[in-house]
Amino acid sequence: MGLEFNEETFRGDFSFKNSPKAIKRFPFPFPEDSYMYSVNMEPHVPGPKGSVFEHTFDVDEHYVSEMRDRAMVLADDPLRCQSLPHMTLAGWDLLELIMESKARDYPHWFELHKNGNKWHWINRPLEIEQKFTFLDETTLPCGPLEYITRQTQGDFTLQDQRDNNLFIEAGMVTTQADWSLDFDIGMSFQEWHAPVPMAHELGVFDRALKFLLKLQLGAPVRRFNWTMTVDPLLDTSPENYPKWGPTKTTLTMDNIGRRQHLRVELQTLHRLPRSNAIAFPIRAYLISFQDLVTVPKWARRLHRVIRDVPEPLATYKGFLRNRPLMVEYLSQFDDGKPTSPGWWPEPE
Amino acid sequence: MTNSVLEGTMRSRPVYGVLEPRPGKAHLIVADGEGAGAVVDLVARAGETAPAMLARTHIIYMPGPNGTDAFESLKALGAAQAFRTHDYSTAQPRLKKVLGDAHMGLQIYTTGTEGLMGQVLRDVMEAGLPAQAVQTEHRGSTVRRVQCVHCKGITENVRTDPFQCSHCGLHLFVRDHYSRRLAAYQGVNIDAEDPGEVPPAVERFK
């Protein structure tokens, strides 16, 4: 697998780090100096070369280590991957989408050979080679959703569409911002978003659902979400909250730059061909404050966003108690100069 | 007795109504505690069709979590079958048999506490019957059935917020988030960030 993938951990000694290249391509989520919920969806079309949007599924330097972390989470808690019985076909749809995308976009790492329904999959970074029969579960070591998402960064949920609604009825969720698949599985769109403050009243979920019900095959869309995480911990699950909750009380001005991370989710939505379900990959990217402030525009903007974000939102995202410290740290890097619209770094 | 008013609004929580007699080939009623009163009212609403309805009615009843036992008022209705049991887990095999034997045209009514109705709805859906075939009416206690998100254990009849998980012992707050599949609210550790700092328990559910 060579030097392309970091040897790093997302627990214990937290040796995760972003290379200068990874910092430069980090998906900074704020197009302006303030933040409020919005539907903010745009077509998921290929972006600039080298950006996280270049390919349908971004594979980056953290790939191999992230997959190792996922395997550890699943060993501890197999309920992080579940699929209700009628969702198996959607799992196959997702497996096909990912295998075809990766083999097309990263031919040096992934290969897919098809002879009718006899498929041959090669994943070089993870040293996996599998011959199987498409749509025949008995020819894979586990269900299709679990099989392919053990080899793909980001959480995944699969939504069944019926009765003018979407139901979250399958998923692989090991890198989540504090929500439980085991609790939410089977819920409608409004039900699983019930705990989110303010957005219901803004009509965000009604508009988003209306939009998603009409999502077309071959026309995926994307949006950002974000939160804050102390230490580069992927598994900020409610299940393990008693383990990671206490770390929030250990931040100081001396360690916040190194330990506080902005967590950005690149969320994409894809209509699936056979099941008519919607696949929802939620890809988490982490960046430490000290790395983030190396980009002057991001440092200025993050300071203003965190300082001004409404209190219910800071509470829901779980960083209200550390907001004063974050603002104090970030203010050192905000000289008050205007920032340009859009999230790309300024040429400085 | 009037229909209960439940505190707060929450989008993941079912909305309960008032039981109305509907024409059907058979009627299954599952009730606990004060729900007996809603069953009596339901039969009264059926008016002159009540005798025909009762001749095809199966009632399963258990006392409420507060001890209310009004089975005698149900027995007096004269339904084809009226069965009293201790609690839901004892009633469940009988209920599953009835649901498994069900034909088109079965009307299902459930009334009483939220924990009971939630479990009936869950078992009806698991039996492959549509949730729309079930009518609900809340009566009596507002205690909650809560799943600990950490150990996954269910604590029945939760009265206070916070409360202590009956399985792992963590102190949990009752989050306003409800799963119909689990028929339970979500309990989340309240002192995770500041271990030992547990606010006093307040009796929110009676």
Side-chain angles (χ1 to χ4, degrees):
Chain A
M1 63 196 220
L3 299 171
E4 295 155 305
F5 301 105
N6 301 350
E7 184 64 42
E8 61 191 359
T9 57
F10 300 87
R11 56 179 72 205
D13 63 354
F14 291 109
S15 62
F16 162 89
K17 66 174 189 352
N18 284 306
S19 67
K21 185 179 156 206
I23 295 169
K24 203 166 160 233
R25 74 197 294 275
F26 189 81
F28 188 74
F30 304 110
E32 54 191 24
D33 285 358
S34 63
Y35 175 79
M36 185 24 87
Y37 286 121
S38 64
V39 179
N40 68 323
M41 278 189 270
E42 61 174 25
H44 186 41
V45 291
K49 195 165 161 43
S51 75
V52 301
F53 304 132
E54 183 181 359
H55 301 305
T56 308
F57 295 94
D58 181 41
V59 179
D60 68 8
E61 65 189 30
H62 308 296
Y63 176 50
V64 173
S65 293
E66 279 193 31
M67 293 300 96
R68 200 175 295 147
D69 193 74
R70 165 157 293 164
M72 286 189 262
V73 173
L74 288 168
D76 283 346
D77 182 2
L79 294 176
R80 300 300 188 83
C81 182
Q82 296 190 46
S83 177
L84 298 186
H86 61 283
M87 296 304 282
T88 306
L89 184 62
W92 283 111
D93 278 334
L94 179 68
L95 175 142
E96 175 188 56
L97 175 66
I98 292 175
M99 286 186 177
E100 287 186 345
S101 301
K102 284 187 169 177
R104 177 192 66 226
D105 296 338
Y106 303 93
H108 52 305
W109 288 336
F110 305 97
E111 286 178 36
L112 179 64
H113 305 281
K114 295 182 188 175
N115 180 4
N117 269 355
K118 302 286 180 201
W119 289 24
H120 181 190
W121 166 246
I122 297 169
N123 177 339
R124 289 206 179 82
L126 295 182
E127 299 172 328
I128 290 170
E129 182 167 1
Q130 181 80 39
K131 290 179 176 166
F132 63 100
T133 306
F134 187 65
L135 298 177
D136 179 356
E137 266 192 283
T138 63
T139 60
L140 283 179
C142 54
L145 168 68
E146 179 172 346
Y147 181 78
I148 196 58
T149 56
R150 277 179 179 270
Q151 302 178 44
T152 309
Q153 289 163 281
D155 284 347
F156 286 80
T157 64
L158 297 175
Q159 278 68 228
D160 191 34
Q161 181 163 333
R162 58 179 188 270
D163 304 334
N164 268 322
N165 211 326
L166 294 171
F167 295 84
I168 179 170
E169 292 185 321
M172 167 68 89
V173 178
T174 67
T175 66
Q176 69 270 51
D178 203 9
W179 67 279
S180 169
L181 174 72
D182 183 53
F183 192 81
D184 287 2
I185 194 169
M187 291 189 186
S188 71
F189 193 80
Q190 295 86 355
E191 286 173 339
W192 89 74
H193 287 112
V196 183
M198 303 171 83
H200 293 276
E201 292 72 16
L202 293 168
V204 166
F205 293 122
D206 292 338
R207 285 203 303 282
L209 176 61
K210 205 176 272 182
F211 180 86
L212 292 175
L213 289 172
K214 292 185 203 138
L215 188 67
Q216 298 294 308
L217 184 65
V221 296
R222 66 182 172 228
R223 69 182 291 265
F224 283 131
N225 201 358
W226 64 279
T227 189
M228 290 288 174
T229 304
V230 177
D231 298 325
L233 177 67
L234 286 174
D235 176 27
T236 47
S237 58
E239 280 81 0
N240 285 329
Y241 177 45
K243 294 178 193 160
W244 56 267
T247 61
K248 291 191 202 174
T249 65
T250 59
L251 288 184
T252 63
M253 270 300 273
D254 290 335
N255 66 23
I256 187 171
R258 177 172 53 83
R259 294 189 58 197
Q260 181 64 59
H261 289 67
L262 173 65
R263 183 190 193 99
V264 175
E265 292 178 352
L266 171 57
Q267 307 179 338
T268 55
L269 294 125
H270 310 254
R271 176 70 68 190
L272 297 175
R274 297 170 189 78
S275 58
N276 198 41
I278 290 180
F280 184 43
I282 309 157
R283 171 68 181 278
Y285 293 85
L286 293 162
I287 189 169
S288 67
F289 272 22
Q290 68 186 14
D291 284 348
L292 186 138
V293 299
T294 60
V295 179
K297 172 177 168 182
W298 294 353
R300 291 184 186 111
R301 179 162 290 168
L302 188 66
H303 170 241
R304 297 166 199 178
V305 168
I306 297 304
R307 182 191 62 200
D308 301 337
V309 82
E311 194 168 309
L313 230 144
T315 304
Y316 175 68
K317 291 182 184 289
F319 65 85
L320 187 68
R321 75 183 299 152
N322 285 322
R323 168 151 71 175
L325 195 62
M326 292 175 181
V327 171
E328 189 185 346
Y329 175 82
L330 292 168
S331 68
Q332 306 172 89
F333 307 96
D334 184 359
D335 53 12
K337 282 192 183 151
T339 54
S340 61
W343 47 67
W344 308 105
E346 330 252 21
E348 293 187 65
Chain B
M1 186 179 162
T2 55
N3 196 42
S4 319
V5 176
L6 300 173
E7 67 169 81
T9 55
M10 190 194 327
R11 284 168 177 85
S12 53
R13 179 188 217 169
V15 176
Y16 307 108
V18 175
L19 302 184
E20 291 289 342
R22 283 186 196 157
K25 288 189 182 146
H27 303 270
L28 171 64
I29 300 174
V30 188
D32 73 353
E34 284 82 352
V39 179
V40 171
D41 292 349
L42 167 72
V43 172
R45 264 181 224 118
E48 57 188 24
T49 66
M53 179 186 175
L54 284 164
R56 295 187 302 252
T57 293
H58 185 163
I59 301 173
I60 298 174
Y61 180 78
M62 62 218 77
N66 55 7
T68 299
D69 183 352
F71 184 59
E72 290 306 317
S73 67
L74 296 183
K75 225 162 82 178
L77 292 173
Q81 289 162 282
F83 175 73
R84 181 192 178 281
T85 183
H86 312 291
D87 56 22
Y88 191 75
S89 60
T90 322
Q92 209 178 19
R94 185 182 181 110
L95 175 64
K96 286 191 170 174
K97 172 82 163 79
V98 175
L99 294 173
D101 293 346
H103 294 287
M104 287 283 286
L106 173 72
Q107 294 292 344
I108 304 171
Y109 311 81
T110 183
T111 174
T113 62
E114 200 166 24
L116 171 85
M117 293 188 289
Q119 292 180 87
V120 171
L121 283 164
R122 177 199 62 198
D123 289 341
V124 166
M125 285 189 290
E126 276 180 16
L129 291 122
Q132 296 91 306
V134 186
Q135 291 187 61
T136 56
E137 180 170 340
H138 187 271
R139 292 277 183 115
S141 172
T142 59
V143 293
R144 289 186 174 181
R145 193 177 134 84
V146 184
Q147 188 206 39
C148 172
V149 74
H150 314 294
C151 80
K152 308 291 182 186
I154 301 251
T155 301
E156 303 279 353
N157 305 327
V158 171
R159 290 171 192 282
T160 66
D161 191 11
F163 74 102
Q164 202 170 1
C165 175
S166 61
H167 304 270
C168 69
L170 282 175
H171 294 273
L172 309 177
F173 72 92
V174 184
R175 198 174 187 207
D176 274 346
H177 194 25
Y178 181 85
S179 162
R180 286 185 292 127
R181 192 182 66 92
L182 299 167
Y185 289 88
Q186 189 172 58
V188 180
N189 191 197
I190 195 163
D191 59 336
E193 296 183 21
D194 304 283
E197 284 182 31
V198 181
V202 175
E203 190 175 18
R204 265 183 74 196
F205 322 113
K206 298 192 176 174

